[in-house]
Short mmCIF file of all heavy atoms in Angstrom, two decimals:
data_model
loop_
_atom_site.label_atom_id
_atom_site.label_comp_id
_atom_site.label_asym_id
_atom_site.label_seq_id
_atom_site.Cartn_x
_atom_site.Cartn_y
_atom_site.Cartn_z
N GLN K 504 -11.04 35.10 -23.50
CA GLN K 504 -10.40 36.12 -24.33
C GLN K 504 -10.97 36.12 -25.79
O GLN K 504 -10.21 36.45 -26.74
CB GLN K 504 -8.82 36.06 -24.40
CG GLN K 504 -8.19 36.11 -23.05
CD GLN K 504 -8.38 34.93 -22.18
OE1 GLN K 504 -9.13 34.89 -21.19
NE2 GLN K 504 -7.74 33.74 -22.50
N GLY K 505 -12.14 35.73 -25.98
CA GLY K 505 -12.77 35.63 -27.30
C GLY K 505 -12.32 34.44 -28.13
O GLY K 505 -12.70 34.29 -29.34
N GLN K 506 -11.62 33.53 -27.52
CA GLN K 506 -11.04 32.35 -28.26
C GLN K 506 -12.07 31.18 -28.03
O GLN K 506 -11.63 30.12 -27.54
CB GLN K 506 -9.67 31.97 -27.74
CG GLN K 506 -8.68 33.16 -27.94
CD GLN K 506 -7.40 32.93 -27.14
OE1 GLN K 506 -6.27 33.06 -27.72
NE2 GLN K 506 -7.51 32.64 -25.86
N VAL K 507 -13.26 31.33 -28.55
CA VAL K 507 -14.28 30.30 -28.40
C VAL K 507 -14.99 30.12 -29.73
O VAL K 507 -15.51 31.09 -30.28
CB VAL K 507 -15.39 30.64 -27.31
CG1 VAL K 507 -16.40 29.55 -27.16
CG2 VAL K 507 -14.68 30.91 -25.94
N CYS K 508 -15.01 28.92 -30.23
CA CYS K 508 -15.52 28.60 -31.56
C CYS K 508 -16.94 29.00 -31.79
O CYS K 508 -17.41 29.36 -32.88
CB CYS K 508 -15.31 27.21 -31.96
SG CYS K 508 -15.76 26.03 -30.71
N CYS K 509 -17.81 28.87 -30.72
CA CYS K 509 -19.20 29.09 -30.82
C CYS K 509 -19.65 30.54 -30.49
O CYS K 509 -20.79 30.93 -30.38
CB CYS K 509 -20.02 28.15 -30.02
SG CYS K 509 -19.50 28.06 -28.26
N ASN K 510 -18.61 31.42 -30.30
CA ASN K 510 -18.92 32.82 -29.96
C ASN K 510 -19.85 33.56 -30.90
O ASN K 510 -19.75 33.30 -32.14
CB ASN K 510 -17.60 33.65 -29.78
CG ASN K 510 -17.08 33.58 -28.40
OD1 ASN K 510 -17.60 33.00 -27.51
ND2 ASN K 510 -15.89 34.27 -28.19
N GLY K 511 -20.69 34.34 -30.35
CA GLY K 511 -21.65 35.07 -31.16
C GLY K 511 -21.12 36.48 -31.47
O GLY K 511 -21.43 37.50 -30.95
N THR K 512 -20.16 36.44 -32.46
CA THR K 512 -19.34 37.66 -32.74
C THR K 512 -19.98 38.62 -33.70
O THR K 512 -19.54 39.66 -33.91
CB THR K 512 -17.96 37.15 -33.31
OG1 THR K 512 -18.18 36.23 -34.39
CG2 THR K 512 -17.13 36.56 -32.25
N ARG K 513 -21.08 38.08 -34.35
CA ARG K 513 -21.87 39.06 -35.17
C ARG K 513 -23.14 39.41 -34.40
O ARG K 513 -24.13 38.59 -34.34
CB ARG K 513 -22.26 38.43 -36.49
CG ARG K 513 -21.06 38.10 -37.40
CD ARG K 513 -21.51 37.53 -38.78
NE ARG K 513 -22.13 36.24 -38.59
CZ ARG K 513 -23.17 35.79 -39.32
NH1 ARG K 513 -23.76 36.55 -40.22
NH2 ARG K 513 -23.62 34.52 -39.14
N VAL K 514 -23.09 40.54 -33.77
CA VAL K 514 -24.22 40.91 -32.89
C VAL K 514 -25.15 41.91 -33.65
O VAL K 514 -24.79 43.06 -33.92
CB VAL K 514 -23.71 41.66 -31.69
CG1 VAL K 514 -24.84 42.02 -30.65
CG2 VAL K 514 -22.75 40.69 -30.86
N PHE K 515 -26.27 41.35 -34.08
CA PHE K 515 -27.31 42.15 -34.84
C PHE K 515 -28.26 42.73 -33.76
O PHE K 515 -28.95 41.98 -33.05
CB PHE K 515 -28.08 41.21 -35.78
CG PHE K 515 -27.22 40.60 -36.90
CD1 PHE K 515 -26.58 39.44 -36.80
CD2 PHE K 515 -27.05 41.32 -38.02
CE1 PHE K 515 -25.86 38.90 -37.81
CE2 PHE K 515 -26.33 40.85 -39.14
CZ PHE K 515 -25.71 39.63 -39.00
N VAL K 516 -28.35 44.06 -33.80
CA VAL K 516 -29.25 44.74 -32.88
C VAL K 516 -30.27 45.60 -33.56
O VAL K 516 -29.91 46.29 -34.47
CB VAL K 516 -28.36 45.69 -31.90
CG1 VAL K 516 -29.27 46.38 -30.85
CG2 VAL K 516 -27.22 44.93 -31.26
N GLN K 517 -31.53 45.41 -33.18
CA GLN K 517 -32.61 46.16 -33.82
C GLN K 517 -32.40 47.63 -33.67
O GLN K 517 -32.02 48.10 -32.58
CB GLN K 517 -34.03 45.77 -33.29
CG GLN K 517 -35.16 46.02 -34.29
CD GLN K 517 -36.30 45.02 -34.08
OE1 GLN K 517 -36.43 44.43 -33.13
NE2 GLN K 517 -37.15 45.01 -35.09
#
Side-chain angles (χ1 to χ4, degrees):
Q504 301 74 252
Q506 300 165 131
V507 182
C508 47
C509 54
N510 269 359
T512 49
R513 294 183 293 144
V514 181
F515 294 91
V516 183
Q517 204 152 18

